[in-house]
Amino acid sequence: MLNNINYLDRLKNYKNVKLLLNDAYLMSDNLFSRELKYLKVDDYEYDSDIACEELGLDRNLISHLVEDYIKQIFNIQTTFLDHINKLKEDKEAKKELDYTEFRELSHKILGVARNLRIEVAEKILFRMMRSDDLDSMLKYLEALIATTIILNPEYSYKEINLKRKESL
């Protein structure tokens, strides 16, 4: 399980947007062509026009809302990991597993993804919310991060760099 966590830590080491985006594409291609193939999202591309049309909002506002979504994902990735690690510790200690906080957080973010019509995130978060398998939960989190980067690589890079500076 630690190898997956290293992927999330590795995001902070990219020197430019292109390298970050290439890695996000590699990660999402790998996940969606193998372990998460059943989600059927390997060729997905976000279309903000759908959100604009269905919500009756202009493209600029949707763009800002997507940036807020990206910021939320990068802010909560550590919280997701903390929940998964706690569940892993409880499982190893043969305690009863309580998925409530993880599921509530997944549900909250799922609502945002649905509102913005980010279909790939909807599928991932729906599975995250329902999963009882810790390894699958990590795979879903990896996929969520990779697809978030692909959504807006420049803004993602900026947010990741802000996180890096905050942790110094």
PDB file of all heavy atoms in Angstrom, residues 85-100:
ATOM      1  N   ASN A  85      -5.340   4.894   6.116  1.00  0.00           N
ATOM      2  CA  ASN A  85      -4.338   4.359   7.044  1.00  0.00           C
ATOM      3  C   ASN A  85      -4.954   3.961   8.380  1.00  0.00           C
ATOM      4  O   ASN A  85      -4.587   2.937   8.960  1.00  0.00           O
ATOM      5  CB  ASN A  85      -3.205   5.354   7.241  1.00  0.00           C
ATOM      6  CG  ASN A  85      -2.280   5.396   6.054  1.00  0.00           C
ATOM      7  OD1 ASN A  85      -2.080   4.395   5.370  1.00  0.00           O
ATOM      8  ND2 ASN A  85      -1.722   6.558   5.779  1.00  0.00           N
ATOM      9  N   LYS A  86      -5.890   4.752   8.870  1.00  0.00           N
ATOM     10  CA  LYS A  86      -6.582   4.418  10.121  1.00  0.00           C
ATOM     11  C   LYS A  86      -7.367   3.123   9.964  1.00  0.00           C
ATOM     12  O   LYS A  86      -7.341   2.240  10.839  1.00  0.00           O
ATOM     13  CB  LYS A  86      -7.519   5.573  10.520  1.00  0.00           C
ATOM     14  CG  LYS A  86      -8.431   5.285  11.697  1.00  0.00           C
ATOM     15  CD  LYS A  86      -7.698   5.354  13.015  1.00  0.00           C
ATOM     16  CE  LYS A  86      -8.629   5.360  14.192  1.00  0.00           C
ATOM     17  NZ  LYS A  86      -8.965   4.059  14.722  1.00  0.00           N
ATOM     18  N   LEU A  87      -8.054   2.978   8.838  1.00  0.00           N
ATOM     19  CA  LEU A  87      -8.799   1.749   8.575  1.00  0.00           C
ATOM     20  C   LEU A  87      -7.849   0.550   8.486  1.00  0.00           C
ATOM     21  O   LEU A  87      -8.150  -0.532   9.005  1.00  0.00           O
ATOM     22  CB  LEU A  87      -9.612   1.886   7.289  1.00  0.00           C
ATOM     23  CG  LEU A  87     -10.812   2.820   7.365  1.00  0.00           C
ATOM     24  CD1 LEU A  87     -11.322   3.171   5.966  1.00  0.00           C
ATOM     25  CD2 LEU A  87     -11.933   2.197   8.194  1.00  0.00           C
ATOM     26  N   LYS A  88      -6.689   0.752   7.871  1.00  0.00           N
ATOM     27  CA  LYS A  88      -5.702  -0.321   7.767  1.00  0.00           C
ATOM     28  C   LYS A  88      -5.211  -0.724   9.157  1.00  0.00           C
ATOM     29  O   LYS A  88      -5.115  -1.913   9.470  1.00  0.00           O
ATOM     30  CB  LYS A  88      -4.525   0.121   6.905  1.00  0.00           C
ATOM     31  CG  LYS A  88      -3.482  -0.952   6.726  1.00  0.00           C
ATOM     32  CD  LYS A  88      -2.308  -0.461   5.916  1.00  0.00           C
ATOM     33  CE  LYS A  88      -1.283  -1.573   5.844  1.00  0.00           C
ATOM     34  NZ  LYS A  88       0.050  -1.097   5.650  1.00  0.00           N
ATOM     35  N   GLU A  89      -4.908   0.265  10.004  1.00  0.00           N
ATOM     36  CA  GLU A  89      -4.465  -0.024  11.367  1.00  0.00           C
ATOM     37  C   GLU A  89      -5.544  -0.774  12.142  1.00  0.00           C
ATOM     38  O   GLU A  89      -5.255  -1.739  12.855  1.00  0.00           O
ATOM     39  CB  GLU A  89      -4.117   1.274  12.099  1.00  0.00           C
ATOM     40  CG  GLU A  89      -2.863   1.940  11.596  1.00  0.00           C
ATOM     41  CD  GLU A  89      -2.677   3.339  12.171  1.00  0.00           C
ATOM     42  OE1 GLU A  89      -3.433   3.744  13.089  1.00  0.00           O
ATOM     43  OE2 GLU A  89      -1.772   4.048  11.683  1.00  0.00           O
ATOM     44  N   ASP A  90      -6.785  -0.330  12.005  1.00  0.00           N
ATOM     45  CA  ASP A  90      -7.887  -0.998  12.698  1.00  0.00           C
ATOM     46  C   ASP A  90      -8.063  -2.428  12.205  1.00  0.00           C
ATOM     47  O   ASP A  90      -8.330  -3.344  12.998  1.00  0.00           O
ATOM     48  CB  ASP A  90      -9.196  -0.214  12.527  1.00  0.00           C
ATOM     49  CG  ASP A  90      -9.210   1.083  13.311  1.00  0.00           C
ATOM     50  OD1 ASP A  90      -8.299   1.305  14.152  1.00  0.00           O
ATOM     51  OD2 ASP A  90     -10.134   1.895  13.088  1.00  0.00           O
ATOM     52  N   LYS A  91      -7.904  -2.625  10.909  1.00  0.00           N
ATOM     53  CA  LYS A  91      -8.034  -3.968  10.341  1.00  0.00           C
ATOM     54  C   LYS A  91      -6.943  -4.886  10.893  1.00  0.00           C
ATOM     55  O   LYS A  91      -7.223  -6.030  11.275  1.00  0.00           O
ATOM     56  CB  LYS A  91      -7.961  -3.903   8.818  1.00  0.00           C
ATOM     57  CG  LYS A  91      -8.160  -5.228   8.138  1.00  0.00           C
ATOM     58  CD  LYS A  91      -8.155  -5.072   6.624  1.00  0.00           C
ATOM     59  CE  LYS A  91      -8.432  -6.409   5.958  1.00  0.00           C
ATOM     60  NZ  LYS A  91      -8.498  -6.275   4.502  1.00  0.00           N
ATOM     61  N   GLU A  92      -5.711  -4.382  10.931  1.00  0.00           N
ATOM     62  CA  GLU A  92      -4.596  -5.169  11.457  1.00  0.00           C
ATOM     63  C   GLU A  92      -4.777  -5.473  12.942  1.00  0.00           C
ATOM     64  O   GLU A  92      -4.354  -6.522  13.420  1.00  0.00           O
ATOM     65  CB  GLU A  92      -3.277  -4.447  11.212  1.00  0.00           C
ATOM     66  CG  GLU A  92      -2.876  -4.438   9.752  1.00  0.00           C
ATOM     67  CD  GLU A  92      -1.693  -3.548   9.433  1.00  0.00           C
ATOM     68  OE1 GLU A  92      -1.192  -2.837  10.351  1.00  0.00           O
ATOM     69  OE2 GLU A  92      -1.267  -3.559   8.266  1.00  0.00           O
ATOM     70  N   ALA A  93      -5.417  -4.557  13.677  1.00  0.00           N
ATOM     71  CA  ALA A  93      -5.683  -4.754  15.101  1.00  0.00           C
ATOM     72  C   ALA A  93      -6.977  -5.540  15.333  1.00  0.00           C
ATOM     73  O   ALA A  93      -7.402  -5.708  16.471  1.00  0.00           O
ATOM     74  CB  ALA A  93      -5.758  -3.409  15.811  1.00  0.00           C
ATOM     75  N   LYS A  94      -7.583  -5.979  14.223  1.00  0.00           N
ATOM     76  CA  LYS A  94      -8.829  -6.754  14.264  1.00  0.00           C
ATOM     77  C   LYS A  94      -9.964  -6.002  14.965  1.00  0.00           C
ATOM     78  O   LYS A  94     -10.791  -6.585  15.646  1.00  0.00           O
ATOM     79  CB  LYS A  94      -8.599  -8.115  14.895  1.00  0.00           C
ATOM     80  CG  LYS A  94      -7.564  -8.936  14.135  1.00  0.00           C
ATOM     81  CD  LYS A  94      -7.623 -10.377  14.468  1.00  0.00           C
ATOM     82  CE  LYS A  94      -6.555 -11.211  13.823  1.00  0.00           C
ATOM     83  NZ  LYS A  94      -6.304 -11.098  12.448  1.00  0.00           N
ATOM     84  N   LYS A  95      -9.968  -4.684  14.777  1.00  0.00           N
ATOM     85  CA  LYS A  95     -11.052  -3.845  15.286  1.00  0.00           C
ATOM     86  C   LYS A  95     -12.137  -3.737  14.231  1.00  0.00           C
ATOM     87  O   LYS A  95     -11.888  -3.970  13.046  1.00  0.00           O
ATOM     88  CB  LYS A  95     -10.543  -2.434  15.612  1.00  0.00           C
ATOM     89  CG  LYS A  95      -9.568  -2.361  16.746  1.00  0.00           C
ATOM     90  CD  LYS A  95      -9.163  -0.911  16.970  1.00  0.00           C
ATOM     91  CE  LYS A  95      -8.152  -0.766  18.085  1.00  0.00           C
ATOM     92  NZ  LYS A  95      -7.739   0.644  18.242  1.00  0.00           N
ATOM     93  N   GLU A  96     -13.307  -3.320  14.669  1.00  0.00           N
ATOM     94  CA  GLU A  96     -14.386  -3.074  13.714  1.00  0.00           C
ATOM     95  C   GLU A  96     -14.035  -1.839  12.881  1.00  0.00           C
ATOM     96  O   GLU A  96     -13.601  -0.821  13.412  1.00  0.00           O
ATOM     97  CB  GLU A  96     -15.707  -2.837  14.462  1.00  0.00           C
ATOM     98  CG  GLU A  96     -16.887  -2.698  13.541  1.00  0.00           C
ATOM     99  CD  GLU A  96     -18.197  -2.570  14.293  1.00  0.00           C
ATOM    100  OE1 GLU A  96     -18.257  -2.955  15.476  1.00  0.00           O
ATOM    101  OE2 GLU A  96     -19.149  -2.064  13.684  1.00  0.00           O
ATOM    102  N   LEU A  97     -14.227  -1.961  11.577  1.00  0.00           N
ATOM    103  CA  LEU A  97     -13.867  -0.864  10.681  1.00  0.00           C
ATOM    104  C   LEU A  97     -15.038   0.096  10.520  1.00  0.00           C
ATOM    105  O   LEU A  97     -16.156  -0.320  10.240  1.00  0.00           O
ATOM    106  CB  LEU A  97     -13.447  -1.402   9.313  1.00  0.00           C
ATOM    107  CG  LEU A  97     -12.271  -2.380   9.322  1.00  0.00           C
ATOM    108  CD1 LEU A  97     -11.904  -2.777   7.896  1.00  0.00           C
ATOM    109  CD2 LEU A  97     -11.065  -1.795  10.022  1.00  0.00           C
ATOM    110  N   ASP A  98     -14.738   1.371  10.697  1.00  0.00           N
ATOM    111  CA  ASP A  98     -15.756   2.417  10.555  1.00  0.00           C
ATOM    112  C   ASP A  98     -15.401   3.290   9.357  1.00  0.00           C
ATOM    113  O   ASP A  98     -14.477   4.098   9.408  1.00  0.00           O
ATOM    114  CB  ASP A  98     -15.828   3.255  11.828  1.00  0.00           C
ATOM    115  CG  ASP A  98     -16.909   4.317  11.783  1.00  0.00           C
ATOM    116  OD1 ASP A  98     -17.673   4.376  10.787  1.00  0.00           O
ATOM    117  OD2 ASP A  98     -16.992   5.106  12.744  1.00  0.00           O
ATOM    118  N   TYR A  99     -16.141   3.121   8.286  1.00  0.00           N
ATOM    119  CA  TYR A  99     -15.901   3.846   7.038  1.00  0.00           C
ATOM    120  C   TYR A  99     -16.663   5.165   6.971  1.00  0.00           C
ATOM    121  O   TYR A  99     -16.603   5.859   5.960  1.00  0.00           O
ATOM    122  CB  TYR A  99     -16.334   2.986   5.840  1.00  0.00           C
ATOM    123  CG  TYR A  99     -15.568   1.699   5.694  1.00  0.00           C
ATOM    124  CD1 TYR A  99     -15.989   0.525   6.306  1.00  0.00           C
ATOM    125  CD2 TYR A  99     -14.417   1.648   4.919  1.00  0.00           C
ATOM    126  CE1 TYR A  99     -15.289  -0.661   6.154  1.00  0.00           C
ATOM    127  CE2 TYR A  99     -13.708   0.474   4.758  1.00  0.00           C
ATOM    128  CZ  TYR A  99     -14.154  -0.682   5.381  1.00  0.00           C
ATOM    129  OH  TYR A  99     -13.454  -1.840   5.221  1.00  0.00           O
ATOM    130  N   THR A 100     -17.366   5.530   8.005  1.00  0.00           N
ATOM    131  CA  THR A 100     -18.291   6.667   7.968  1.00  0.00           C
ATOM    132  C   THR A 100     -17.628   7.957   7.489  1.00  0.00           C
ATOM    133  O   THR A 100     -18.118   8.600   6.551  1.00  0.00           O
ATOM    134  CB  THR A 100     -18.930   6.890   9.354  1.00  0.00           C
ATOM    135  OG1 THR A 100     -19.535   5.671   9.780  1.00  0.00           O
ATOM    136  CG2 THR A 100     -19.954   7.999   9.304  1.00  0.00           C
TER     137      THR A 100
END
